[in-house]
């Protein structure tokens, strides 16, 4: 109510002075005895105002207006997608950090790490920047007022300037107790503050009729709310600061990782969110006792580097692509060709270099931002990404061997630098060609970069030039010599090294890049294989791979998880018969092959280790602690069928025993030590019914090998009930289901925390 009463209030006071005294609690007015409270109030109200609304306004008036309380702000960030723009709230912890930094009022830009330190917020810029991956910066707001239209599903925050004007008007209205105030903005919006709980916004109107008088008659208003507590937004509490384990996740073919065509960054975000939820439900006690923190998952993106401008492969492929069915061909060029690129000696080197360098870069950056981190590191590969990691892990070198190899390589390079071209040719008895090579100003390193046609053009015969090229490459590239790689034929060398020599002639590549390029281009696919396969004692591991220089990771992974992996198929087509049970990765001691039963890309690993036993894969438990209902029903029907079969066979055995038994009285006496016919028949029946003892029924212990420390390797997910109706319909979806699979995330978490000695808890359903 205002300080000065309006005309209606004055009329009420004059018309019903006694009634007003009663309502205000004035005890000076005398009361008639025997009069009920209804008889006291009702005539006064009826006489005071014929309008019931005015009567209720008098009855609902409060002695004093509620005091003004400053609104509590919350920070939001903008998320743009194909379907529009949405604003997401920061966690409670992050919002408090941002508000604290904002309250300092510093003129300099303040940097605040948020979202598990995966993003940095520049307070003055109001921008949020990604730390570990390339992503466009997003807008950040300090939000106090929100609106929602009829078609909106959630409240959207106003800009900070707009919110400040609303807050000033609200403060004035609640302080003076004057409502129904109208705010008009230069942009045309109109906001009417009806009361503290009813505030509406009306959009500007263009080309409306002149007789329209009220905004509510020609526009649909927006609901306006003050403070984040009034919009029922789902605000997370925040992630624990302590990181127990670090996991790098490598994607497969193509830039998209699921059916919604989301990037690896978005899919890993979902996997991380699922893991945080599972930690809260399945490790609740450990969290309450501060025994655990969280697991950090970081995406590794190699597709953009392969298909970027650096390689030029997209432009080359586009020139030879047919114009018909353009969308399908674009999909093929952007996704399926990655499989062929990985089998190319040129682009395979690019892929493994990108994956290793990106993992090492992320690892170094994470250690820099988390200097207190002392946990282990694991790696995850999906589809082709798992094959890349598998090949990389088979070519890792332990620290002792790495130091020895580094010393040997340095000695070889030093010896190659000291050996003159004359000494090099003299050792092979080819010193007569020294003058031809000196005319071209060639030394050993430049000689190793030459093609067969280069030496042919200067007049060196076929036999000597083969010896010279082979010896020069072995001397300059000692690792290729150790792997016994077979070099390409001359005609293939010409076709595969044209681009390299063009770059070399223009001087665009450094000498180190030339040597590295020569190793990847001039080396061939090594399809040498053995019956034993991986783990052979003579060092023949991962035979059949493209012979390239595999980079080394900056850490030793604790566990390698493969999602929907074609590793088994690739090893088989490379010519590997089986995996030696004693083989293990040089720097990684655990390996899990996780797949969906309908995944068309996934293959098993265990049959390559234990080929003489038909062993079913391990069934991954449902995260709710039971089998899915349709699987339980299927198992129950199977057991019922077996029980019926056993009962029928048992009845037949009993009938046969009764029919074959001979009366004892008809038998002649037997001598001591001789068995009766009945005893023989009984023994035969018992042997037929129980052919082996219970100890013999137990399966012998299966040695699964050391690839996962003697434990099982193949783990299969439980399909959903709807998937069981048509496995072909959900085949593609099954290959992309791992990013949102809570069962998969829980298996990863259990492996990680079992190694830390943290007990797993199954929540009560």
């Amino acid at each position: 109510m205002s300080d000065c009463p309006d005309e209606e209030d004055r009329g009420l006071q004059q018309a019903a002075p006694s009634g007003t005294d009663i309502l205000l609690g004035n005890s000076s007015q005398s009361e008639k005895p025997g009069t009920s409270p209804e008889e006291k109030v009702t005539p006064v109200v009826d006489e005071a105002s014929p309008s019931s609304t005015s009567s209720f306004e008098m009855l609902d008036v409060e002695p004093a207006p509620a005091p003004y309380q400053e609104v509590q702000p919350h920070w939001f960030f903008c998320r743009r997608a194909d379907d529009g723009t949405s604003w997401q709230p920061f966690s409670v912890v992050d919002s408090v950090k941002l508000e604290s930094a904002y309250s300092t009022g510093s003129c300099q830009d303040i940097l605040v790490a948020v979202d598990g330190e995966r993003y940095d917020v520049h307070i003055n810029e109001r921008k949020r920047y990604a730390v570990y991956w390339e992503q466009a910066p997003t807008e950040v707001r300090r939000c106090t007022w929100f609106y929602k239209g009829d078609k909106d599903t959630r409240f959207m925050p106003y800009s900070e300037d707009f919110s400040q004007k609303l807050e000033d008007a609200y403060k004035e209205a609640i302080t003076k107790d004057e409502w129904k105030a109208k705010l008009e903005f230069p942009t045309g919006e109109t906001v009417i503050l009806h009361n503290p709980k009813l505030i509406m916004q009306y959009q500007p109107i263009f080309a409306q009729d002149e007789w329209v008088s009220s905004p509510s008659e020609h526009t649909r208003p927006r609901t306006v709310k003050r403070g984040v507590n009034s919009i029922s937004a789902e605000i997370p509490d925040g992630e624990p600061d302590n990181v127990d384990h670090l996991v790098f996740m490598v994607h497969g073919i193509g830039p998209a990782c699921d059916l919604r065509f989301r990037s690896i960054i978005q899919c890993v975000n979902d996997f991380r969110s699922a893991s945080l939820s599972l930690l809260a439900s399945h490790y609740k006690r450990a969290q309450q006792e501060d025994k655990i923190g969280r697991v950090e998952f970081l995406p590794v993106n190699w597709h953009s580097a392969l298909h970027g401008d650096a390689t030029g492969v997209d432009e080359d492929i586009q020139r030879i692509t047919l114009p018909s069915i353009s969308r399908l061909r674009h999909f093929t060029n952007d996704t399926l060709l990655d499989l062929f690129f990985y089998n190319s000696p040129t682009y395979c080197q690019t892929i493994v270099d990108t994956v290793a360098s990106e993992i090492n870069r992320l690892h170094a950056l994470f250690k820099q931002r988390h200097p207190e981190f002392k946990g282990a590191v694991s790696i995850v590969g999906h589809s082709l990404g798992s094959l890349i990691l598998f090949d990389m892990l088979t070519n890792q070198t332990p620290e002792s061997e790495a130091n020895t190899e580094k010393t040997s390589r340095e000695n070889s390079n030093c010896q190659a630098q000291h050996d003159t071209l004359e000494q090099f040719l003299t050792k092979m008895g080819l010193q007569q060609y020294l003058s031809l090579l000196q005319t071209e100003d060639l030394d050993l390193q430049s000689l190793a970069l030459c093609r067969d046609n280069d030496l042919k053009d200067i007049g060196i015969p076929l036999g000597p030039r083969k010896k010279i090229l082979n010896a020069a490459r072995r001397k300059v590239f000692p690792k290729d010599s150790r792997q016994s790689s077979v070099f390409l034929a001359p005609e293939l060398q010409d076709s595969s090294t044209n681009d390299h020599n063009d770059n070399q002639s223009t001087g665009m590549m450094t000498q180190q890049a030339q040597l590295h390029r020569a190793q990847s281009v001039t080396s061939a696919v090594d399809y040498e294989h053995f019956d034993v396969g991986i783990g052979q004692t003579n060092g023949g591991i991962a035979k059949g791979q493209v012979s390239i220089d595999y980079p080394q990771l900056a850490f030793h992974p604790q566990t390698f998880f493969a999602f929907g992996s074609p590793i088994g198929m690739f090893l088989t087509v490379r010519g590997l018969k089986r995996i030696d049970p004693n083989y293990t990765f040089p720097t990684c001691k655990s390996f899990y092959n996780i797949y969906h039963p309908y995944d068309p890309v996934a293959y098993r690993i265990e049959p390559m280790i234990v080929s003489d036993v038909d062993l079913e894969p391990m069934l991954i438990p449902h995260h709710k602690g039971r089998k899915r209902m349709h699987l339980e029903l299927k198992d129950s029907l199977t057991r019922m069928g077996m029980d019926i079969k056993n009962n029928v066979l048992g009845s037949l055995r009993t009938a046969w025993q009764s029919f074959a038994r001979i009366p004892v009285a008809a038998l002649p006496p037997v001598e001591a030590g001789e068995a009766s016919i009945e005893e023989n028949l009984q023994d035969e029946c018992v042997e037929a019914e129980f052919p082996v003892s219970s100890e013999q029924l137990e399966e012998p212990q299966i040695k699964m090998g050391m690839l996962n420390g003697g434990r099982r390797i193949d783990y299969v997910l439980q399909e959903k009930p709807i998937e069981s109706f048509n496995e072909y319909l959900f085949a593609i979806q099954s290959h992309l289901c791992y990013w949102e699979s809570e069962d998969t995330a829980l298996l990863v978490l259990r492996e990680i925390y079992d190694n830390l000695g943290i007990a797993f808890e199954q929540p009560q359903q």
Side-chain angles (χ1 to χ4, degrees), residues 429-441:
L430 300 174
Q431 60 272 20
Q432 65 269 29
Y433 302 107
L434 177 62
S435 59
L436 296 176
L437 298 176
Q438 288 177 343
T439 303
E440 302 295 332
D441 197 18

Side-chain angles (χ1 to χ4, degrees), residues 132-157:
Y132 295 103
W133 51 81
E134 294 183 3
Q135 182 178 335
T138 56
E139 184 182 355
V140 171
R141 283 184 185 175
R142 181 177 180 265
C143 304
T144 54
W145 286 80
F146 306 85
Y147 69 90
K148 186 178 74 168
D150 291 339
K151 297 181 179 180
D152 298 330
T153 57
R154 62 178 62 186
F155 281 90
M156 303 283 286

Side-chain angles (χ1 to χ4, degrees), residues 241-305:
D241 295 331
N242 185 33
V243 178
D244 303 322
H245 200 90
L246 176 62
V247 180
F248 296 110
M249 311 191 80
V250 181
H251 66 83
I253 61 174
C257 294
D258 63 358
L259 291 178
R260 288 179 283 174
F261 298 99
R262 297 185 304 165
S263 66
I264 177 65
I265 299 172
Q266 296 170 307
C267 291
V268 173
N269 287 342
D270 278 355
F271 197 90
R272 186 188 304 110
S273 299
S275 70
L276 290 173
S277 177
L278 290 170
L279 285 177
S281 59
H282 291 71
Y283 292 89
K284 184 176 181 179
R285 181 179 302 174
Q287 277 193 342
Q288 293 175 347
E289 298 175 356
D290 293 331
K291 292 182 179 179
I292 64 172
R294 61 184 174 91
V295 178
E296 181 61 278
F297 297 89
L298 295 180
V300 179
N301 186 2
W302 57 267
H303 182 270
S304 58

Side-chain angles (χ1 to χ4, degrees), residues 475-594:
K475 199 166 193 64
V476 177
F477 309 135
K479 188 169 185 179
D480 282 347
S481 175
R482 178 179 62 85
Q483 291 181 342
S484 300
S485 298
V486 181
F487 293 99
L488 290 177
E491 58 274 11
L492 294 180
Q493 290 180 3
D494 293 339
S495 62
S496 62
T497 56
N498 284 336
D499 294 338
H500 161 64
N501 288 323
D502 292 340
N503 293 334
Q504 182 183 3
S505 61
T506 56
M508 297 299 294
M509 300 176 63
T510 62
Q511 183 179 8
Q512 181 180 3
Q514 292 175 359
L515 295 176
H516 179 72
R517 185 71 169 175
Q519 282 184 303
S520 63
V521 174
T522 59
S523 56
V525 180
D526 182 5
Y527 287 107
E528 180 184 4
H529 63 274
F530 301 89
D531 289 340
V532 175
I534 293 183
Q536 186 165 308
T537 56
N538 65 356
I541 62 173
K543 293 299 180 181
Q545 294 174 237
V546 176
S547 181
I548 60 174
D549 185 11
Y550 280 93
Q552 301 295 305
L553 296 177
F555 56 91
H556 290 180
Q558 175 177 285
T559 308
F560 169 36
F561 300 95
F563 295 168
S565 174
I567 292 175
M569 182 269 290
F570 270 83
L571 293 180
T572 301
V573 299
R574 286 173 180 174
L576 293 171
K577 302 299 182 183
R578 65 185 183 91
I579 299 176
D580 191 338
N582 296 321
Y583 176 74
T584 183
F585 294 124
T587 59
C588 182
K589 303 305 179 185
S590 298
F591 173 45
Y592 288 86
N593 182 38
I594 303 170

Side-chain angles (χ1 to χ4, degrees), residues 450-486:
C450 288
R451 298 175 298 165
D452 185 80
N453 280 355
D454 294 332
L455 300 188
K456 181 180 180 181
D457 292 341
I458 63 177
I460 299 179
L462 176 61
R465 68 173 180 260
K466 287 294 184 182
K467 293 181 181 180
I468 293 173
L469 286 175
N470 194 22
R473 287 163 179 163
R474 289 176 180 271
K475 199 166 193 64
V476 177
F477 309 135
K479 188 169 185 179
D480 282 347
S481 175
R482 178 179 62 85
Q483 291 181 342
S484 300
S485 298
V486 181

Side-chain angles (χ1 to χ4, degrees), residues 38-66:
E38 291 78 4
E39 294 175 347
K40 299 176 185 177
V41 177
T42 302
V44 174
V45 173
D46 293 341
E47 184 180 358
S49 174
S51 172
S52 61
T53 303
S54 300
S55 302
F56 282 117
E57 287 179 355
M58 289 186 59
L59 293 173
D60 292 342
V61 67
E62 296 181 2

